[in-house]
């Protein structure tokens, strides 16, 4: 059986369109069924993918706009395999959570949920730069409506900030993508935006540097990383929980994935040139996000600022640029880990708010554990995984990132290590105040209902399984992840030793040449 990536990408959107023609109450179940179908395809893809890793598989490659060298090109390798699976799993969870609520204009709500999944899957599967930019920009459309139409208080302000930040970043990336495709084209050759072609073509170091900054702006806004996170607090407060779940757990990874898929292999000189800048942003994000998470009373913002810190860890791993690629492997593993822990955290926040008369304030939701042992137990597992306790997959991810950072930028790695202690502070505070404080006024402690238990327990089961065997991901991703950073890592390693002369072999690799 061959997995058709076009079916995997567009099945949710097809279900969203079909929902407009079925009875009002059926649209949600149709979209939920499509997300389950996507998850089944993603699981089959993992089962069929070589356990030792492999190259690009299940490729679809056809002309799209041939006059401009743009192709409809999709593929799966170790770099995007588990991000596709993460997207599929969390969209099932979010859509299931959404089906348990009543929405105004439900057909339109579930259409936008379906469109959002198609856009994210398309961005992860795209093997053409313009196609990636298309799906990257398309993601903004459904979330603008999901937050602006179905969000809470100050949703207009939230969507305005979201659009301004994201649209500016997207326009900068579009300009960078066009410039990269045109300027990388050898004289007499045809323009191509294929990621494979661009990795084999070269552009000057100065050109790489300004194009790098255009891409970095878009990806850091999407993450979000400090200081590009100004849209985050309002959006996190306003978004409905099912929307916020996928927004925080999945969309933030598209920017980090873009660094690994596009920036490092195509612009290695610029990646090495701006290495310290990106690592500084990563370290500041870790410390800033951790400190802000500790000071928040709004539970959503505790998780929101903790995500800024966690994405700082991912950025640190990507730009460690160690020759063995441990930092990049840890970053990819941490992308999956972060999504798996953030999703149940938001579901638990929703459950706590129901028991606290709608309040999401830490000062008012205390004491929920007294009559809710299952909720408290599942929350404890998620909290321990979030703060990267030994025995969790998060611990392995952060360890790989620190190995990579210590091998190239030990000073930054040591400062970032403080984030481990800060994570323990804000997550233990969140758990203790919500579970074991005195019962707050208006709080009715009770355990999870079946509808609340099923998605949380399913995600906790995946967290525990990866904690037992994180090598399941690492082994399948290594062969695809390490080559993405090889060019920049070789340049970093050689320049550290005082060499400045490199030869590009025409196949995407860089080799140090002896100095005359």
């Amino acid at each position: 059986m061959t997995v058709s990536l076009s079916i995997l990408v567009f099945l949710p959107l097809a279900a969203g369109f079909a929902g407009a023609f079925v009875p009002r109450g059926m649209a949600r179940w149709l979209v939920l069924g499509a997300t389950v179908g996507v998850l089944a395809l993603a699981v089959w893809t993992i089962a069929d993918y070589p356990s030792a890793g492999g190259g690009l598989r299940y490729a679809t490659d056809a002309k799209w706009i041939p006059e401009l060298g743009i192709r409809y090109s999709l593929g799966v390798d170790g770099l995007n395999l588990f991000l596709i699976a993460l997207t599929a799993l969390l969209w099932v969870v979010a859509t299931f959570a959404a089906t348990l609520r009543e929405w105004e204009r439900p057909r339109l709500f579930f259409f936008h949920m379906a469109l959002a999944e198609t856009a994210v899957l398309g961005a992860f599967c795209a093997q053409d730069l313009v196609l990636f930019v298309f799906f990257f920009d398309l993601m903004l459309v459904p979330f603008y409506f999901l937050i602006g139409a179905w969000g809470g208080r100050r949703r207009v302000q939230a969507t305005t900030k979201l659009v301004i930040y994201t649209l500016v970043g997207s326009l900068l990336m579009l300009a960078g993508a066009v410039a990269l495709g045109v300027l990388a084209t050898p004289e007499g050759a045809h323009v191509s935006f294929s990621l494979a072609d661009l990795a084999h073509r070269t552009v000057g170091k100065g050109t790489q540097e300004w194009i790098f900054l255009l891409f970095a702006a878009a990806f850091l806004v999407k993450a979000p990383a400090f200081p590009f996170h100004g849209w985050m607090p309002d959006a996190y407060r306003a978004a409905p929980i099912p929307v916020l779940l996928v927004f925080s757990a999945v969309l933030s990874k598209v920017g980090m994935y873009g660094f690994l898929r596009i920036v490092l292999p195509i612009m290695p000189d610029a990646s090495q040139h701006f290495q310290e800048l990106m690592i500084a942003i990563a370290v500041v994000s870790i410390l800033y996000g951790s400190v802000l998470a500790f000071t928040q009373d709004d539970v959503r913002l505790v998780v929101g600022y903790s995500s800024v810190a966690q994405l700082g860890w991912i950025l640190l791993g990507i730009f460690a640029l160690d020759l063995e690629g441990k930092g990049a492997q840890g970053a990819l593993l941490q992308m999956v880990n972060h999504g798996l822990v953030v999703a149940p955290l938001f579901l638990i926040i929703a459950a706590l708010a129901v028991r606290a008369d709608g309040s999401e304030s830490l000062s008012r939701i205390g004491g929920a554990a007294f009559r809710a042992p299952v909720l408290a137990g599942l929350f404890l597992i998620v909290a321990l995984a979030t703060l990267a306790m030994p025995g969790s997959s998060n611990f392995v991810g952060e360890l790989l990132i620190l190995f990579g950072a210590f091998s190239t930028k030990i000073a930054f790695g040591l400062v970032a290590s403080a984030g481990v202690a800060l994570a323990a502070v804000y997550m233990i505070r969140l758990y203790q105040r919500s579970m074991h404080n005195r019962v707050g006024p208006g709080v009715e402690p009770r355990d999870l209902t079946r509808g609340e238990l099923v998605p949380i327990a399913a995600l906790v089961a995946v967290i525990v399984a990866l904690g037992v065997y994180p090598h399941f991901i690492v082994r399948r991703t290594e062969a695809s992840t390490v080559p993405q950073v090889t060019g920049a890592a070789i340049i970093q390693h050689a320049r550290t030793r005082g060499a400045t002369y490199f030869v590009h072999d025409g196949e995407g690799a860089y080799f140090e040449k002896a100095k005359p």
Side-chain angles (χ1 to χ4, degrees):
M1 175 182 176
T2 300
V3 175
S4 172
L5 292 184
S6 295
I7 294 175
L8 184 144
V9 170
F10 290 103
L11 180 58
L13 182 58
F17 275 120
F21 303 99
V22 301
R24 177 185 175 94
M26 290 296 296
R28 64 186 64 204
W29 303 110
L30 187 61
V31 173
L32 178 61
T35 63
V36 173
V38 171
L39 178 59
L41 288 172
V43 171
W44 176 263
T45 303
I46 292 175
D48 189 54
Y49 196 80
S51 60
L56 197 68
R57 298 169 67 87
Y58 322 115
T60 298
D61 189 28
K63 294 179 180 179
W64 183 21
I65 311 176
E67 296 82 0
L68 300 178
I70 302 171
R71 303 186 68 83
Y72 173 74
S73 181
L74 306 174
V76 172
D77 59 11
L79 193 61
N80 60 6
L81 176 65
F82 288 97
L83 294 174
I84 292 169
L86 176 72
T87 303
L89 174 62
L90 297 188
W91 240 275
V92 171
V93 170
T95 307
F96 176 77
T99 61
L100 302 179
R101 289 181 53 181
E102 291 300 323
W103 305 91
E104 294 183 9
R105 305 180 300 279
R107 292 190 185 96
L108 191 57
F109 176 87
F110 285 96
F111 167 78
H112 284 300
M113 286 290 287
L115 174 60
E117 183 176 16
T118 287
V120 175
L121 289 170
F124 282 137
C125 291
Q127 301 298 318
D128 181 277
L129 182 56
V130 174
L131 186 64
F132 173 86
V133 173
F134 170 78
F135 283 118
F136 188 92
D137 291 347
L138 181 62
M139 288 187 288
L140 176 62
V141 176
F143 283 98
Y144 171 80
F145 289 104
L146 287 168
I147 298 174
W150 290 278
R153 291 183 304 168
R154 305 185 69 178
R155 60 182 180 271
V156 174
Q157 179 179 343
T159 50
T160 300
K161 283 187 177 181
L162 175 64
V163 168
I164 291 173
Y165 274 82
T166 307
L167 193 58
V168 169
S170 296
L171 290 174
L172 291 175
M173 183 175 64
L174 177 61
V178 174
L180 184 62
V182 172
L183 297 177
T185 304
E187 186 176 352
H190 294 290
V191 174
S192 174
F193 291 93
S194 165
L195 296 180
D197 289 345
L198 290 174
H200 294 158
R201 295 178 175 183
T202 59
V203 292
K205 184 175 182 292
T207 302
Q208 285 188 32
E209 289 173 4
W210 65 263
I211 294 177
F212 175 98
L213 293 175
L214 299 180
F215 277 89
F219 294 154
L220 293 174
V221 167
K222 184 72 74 176
F226 179 89
F228 303 91
H229 68 294
W231 60 267
M232 186 274 291
D234 288 330
Y236 272 52
R237 288 191 191 101
I241 286 292
V243 176
L244 183 55
L245 187 157
V246 291
F247 191 80
S248 178
V250 180
L251 258 72
S252 59
K253 312 307 178 299
V254 179
M256 298 294 105
Y257 168 80
F259 279 118
L260 283 173
R261 174 65 76 187
I262 299 169
V263 173
L264 266 68
I266 297 176
M267 294 173 274
D269 286 287
S271 298
Q272 189 278 329
H273 178 77
F274 289 112
Q275 180 192 22
E276 290 193 355
L277 171 64
M278 301 306 293
I279 290 180
I281 291 173
V283 172
V284 173
S285 295
I286 292 170
L287 301 180
Y288 173 86
S290 298
V291 171
L292 266 290
F294 176 69
T295 63
Q296 300 301 311
D297 183 64
D298 188 321
V299 187
R300 291 191 187 205
L301 292 186
V302 174
V303 179
Y305 282 110
S306 75
S307 295
V308 172
Q310 293 301 314
L311 288 160
W313 280 104
I314 293 168
L315 189 64
L316 175 63
I318 291 171
F319 281 92
L321 301 185
D322 57 300
L323 286 172
E324 295 181 352
K326 291 188 183 298
Q329 288 179 264
L332 185 58
L333 179 59
Q334 206 65 358
M335 290 186 212
V336 178
N337 292 334
H338 177 256
L340 290 174
V341 297
V342 163
L345 281 176
F346 282 120
L347 294 175
I348 289 168
I349 289 172
L352 292 174
V354 169
R355 288 151 179 79
D357 196 27
S359 175
E360 295 178 354
S361 169
L362 265 180
S363 60
R364 297 187 59 189
I365 61 175
F370 288 109
R371 296 182 182 177
V374 175
L375 170 59
L378 293 175
F379 191 3
L380 181 61
I381 295 172
V382 175
L384 293 176
T386 302
L387 57 87
M389 284 291 288
S392 68
S393 184
N394 298 62
F395 173 75
V396 177
E398 288 191 5
L399 196 63
L400 285 169
I401 290 170
L402 287 175
F403 267 111
F406 284 167
S407 66
T408 58
K409 299 291 180 181
I410 189 169
F412 284 105
L414 288 171
V415 176
S417 300
V420 177
L422 292 173
V425 172
Y426 65 70
M427 191 50 58
I428 291 174
R429 170 178 175 265
L430 173 61
Y431 182 80
Q432 288 182 336
R433 293 189 65 175
S434 60
M435 294 288 104
H436 295 299
N437 268 6
R438 292 181 180 180
V439 178
V443 175
E444 298 179 4
R446 63 180 185 276
D447 225 329
L448 297 171
T449 64
R450 185 175 300 176
E452 294 168 332
L453 175 63
V454 169
I456 295 174
L459 291 172
V460 168
V462 177
I463 291 170
V464 172
L466 286 180
V468 172
Y469 190 50
H471 193 58
F472 180 80
I473 292 179
V474 174
R475 184 181 181 189
R476 287 165 173 79
T477 59
E478 181 178 6
S480 297
T481 304
V482 175
Q484 300 299 105
V485 302
T486 298
I490 289 174
I491 294 172
Q492 158 64 23
H493 176 69
R495 285 185 177 155
T496 301
R497 296 162 53 199
T500 57
Y501 188 31
F502 303 91
V503 175
H504 188 277
D505 71 346
E507 297 294 332
Y510 284 74
F511 295 95
E512 180 183 358
K513 189 169 182 178
K515 290 192 292 185

